[in-house]
Amino acid sequence: MDNFQSLIIKRRSIRHFTPELINEDHVKMILEAGLLAPTSKSSRAWQFIVVDDPDMLARLSQCKERAAEPIGRAPLAIVVAVDPTATDPWIEDASIAASYMQLQAADLGLGSCWIEVRDRYAADGTPAEEYVQELLNMPDTLPVVCILAIGHPAEERKPQAIEKLKWEQVHINKWTQR
Ligand SMILES: Cc1cc2nc3c(=O)[nH]c(=O)nc-3n(C[C@H](O)[C@H](O)[C@H](O)COP(=O)(O)O)c2cc1C
């Protein structure tokens, strides 16, 4: 358990993982964090598909041409999907849940990386979403917002530099041209 500010300063995207599996209690805590996330009108319309089978992880990592490789190096992936007929801010709801899960993973000393799926394409031009839905036997009515690759970090990333924050993008009382 870290203090919250220290946690969000230290959290960085981790794309390389050790082969060590994630303790089941920790997997449960990460999923609980997603299930605890706020949603518009409390719709809770997300679906989380937990993937820990190495062959499935390798195939999931091919869902898009670039930038999905961390899934193939991770012992765990959580596919974040959501029913858009249940709530209009479905992208927001799914994104907040994914962020909660990433922060819970960081608090447990784990690394994670968000892999974007929406509007992305596999090397052969197949929409990444269709690829993932077919691989996981999901209905095509359930959009996939992202996949979280999660594992024990095998790389060290510098914490964020608090002195470099974009304070010029913060406006008080009214917008100011800068
Ligand atoms: C909406 C979103 C989409 C992202 N998509 C990817 C992705 O497809 N592959 C990847 O390796 N990282 C992805 N990332 C991670 C970002 O590249 C990363 O958060 C950003 O470079 C800032 O680095 P940091 O997370 O270490 O602070 C994504 C992050 C967000 C929030």
Side-chain angles (χ1 to χ4, degrees), residues 11-15 64 66-70 95 99 102 112-117 120 146 157-158 160:
R11 183 222 55 85
R12 300 300 312 272
S13 294
I14 296 297
R15 299 183 175 86
K64 54 182 193 168
R66 278 188 307 277
E69 300 86 352
S95 300
S99 275
Q102 285 198 282
S112 73
C113 188
W114 176 304
I115 307 296
E116 185 72 5
V117 172
R120 299 292 188 266
C146 66
R157 301 272 326 268
K158 278 194 195 153
Q160 302 217 50

Side-chain angles (χ1 to χ4, degrees), residues 141-161:
T141 48
L142 202 60
V144 176
V145 171
C146 66
I147 301 173
L148 302 178
I150 305 173
H152 294 269
E155 61 176 329
E156 266 193 41
R157 301 272 326 268
K158 278 194 195 153
Q160 302 217 50

Side-chain angles (χ1 to χ4, degrees), residues 11 29-39 46-48 78-82 90-106 112-116 144-150:
R11 183 222 55 85
M29 282 175 78
I30 293 168
L31 292 165
E32 277 170 354
L35 295 166
L36 282 165
T39 50
W46 4 246
Q47 302 282 335
F48 306 135
I78 300 176
V79 176
V80 179
V82 58
W90 53 276
I91 301 174
E92 292 87 336
D93 286 356
S95 300
I96 293 166
S99 275
Y100 266 45
M101 289 193 275
Q102 285 198 282
L103 291 174
Q104 179 61 79
S112 73
C113 188
W114 176 304
I115 307 296
E116 185 72 5
V144 176
V145 171
C146 66
I147 301 173
L148 302 178
I150 305 173

Side-chain angles (χ1 to χ4, degrees), residues 7-157:
L7 179 76
I8 57 177
I9 289 173
K10 284 196 277 183
R11 183 222 55 85
R12 300 300 312 272
S13 294
I14 296 297
R15 299 183 175 86
H16 294 268
F17 306 96
T18 71
E20 190 183 345
L21 299 181
I22 304 176
N23 168 317
E24 269 181 34
D25 292 342
H26 289 177
V27 176
K28 183 168 177 244
M29 282 175 78
I30 293 168
L31 292 165
E32 277 170 354
L35 295 166
L36 282 165
T39 50
S40 172
K41 298 181 186 154
S42 219
S43 62
R44 300 189 184 105
W46 4 246
Q47 302 282 335
F48 306 135
I49 300 105
V50 180
V51 180
D52 61 5
D53 175 74
D55 178 55
M56 288 296 264
L57 289 164
R59 289 159 72 184
L60 262 187
S61 75
Q62 303 297 309
C63 71
K64 54 182 193 168
E65 192 171 8
R66 278 188 307 277
E69 300 86 352
I71 303 169
R73 298 191 284 258
L76 179 78
I78 300 176
V79 176
V80 179
V82 58
D83 176 2
T85 63
T87 176
D88 54 314
W90 53 276
I91 301 174
E92 292 87 336
D93 286 356
S95 300
I96 293 166
S99 275
Y100 266 45
M101 289 193 275
Q102 285 198 282
L103 291 174
Q104 179 61 79
D107 196 45
L108 292 167
L110 297 166
S112 73
C113 188
W114 176 304
I115 307 296
E116 185 72 5
V117 172
R118 221 170 41 82
D119 290 339
R120 299 292 188 266
Y121 295 85
D124 67 359
T126 307
E129 178 169 279
E130 258 178 58
Y131 178 103
V132 174
Q133 287 167 336
E134 203 178 306
L135 183 65
L136 303 179
N137 204 21
M138 293 167 62
D140 62 7
T141 48
L142 202 60
V144 176
V145 171
C146 66
I147 301 173
L148 302 178
I150 305 173
H152 294 269
E155 61 176 329
E156 266 193 41
R157 301 272 326 268

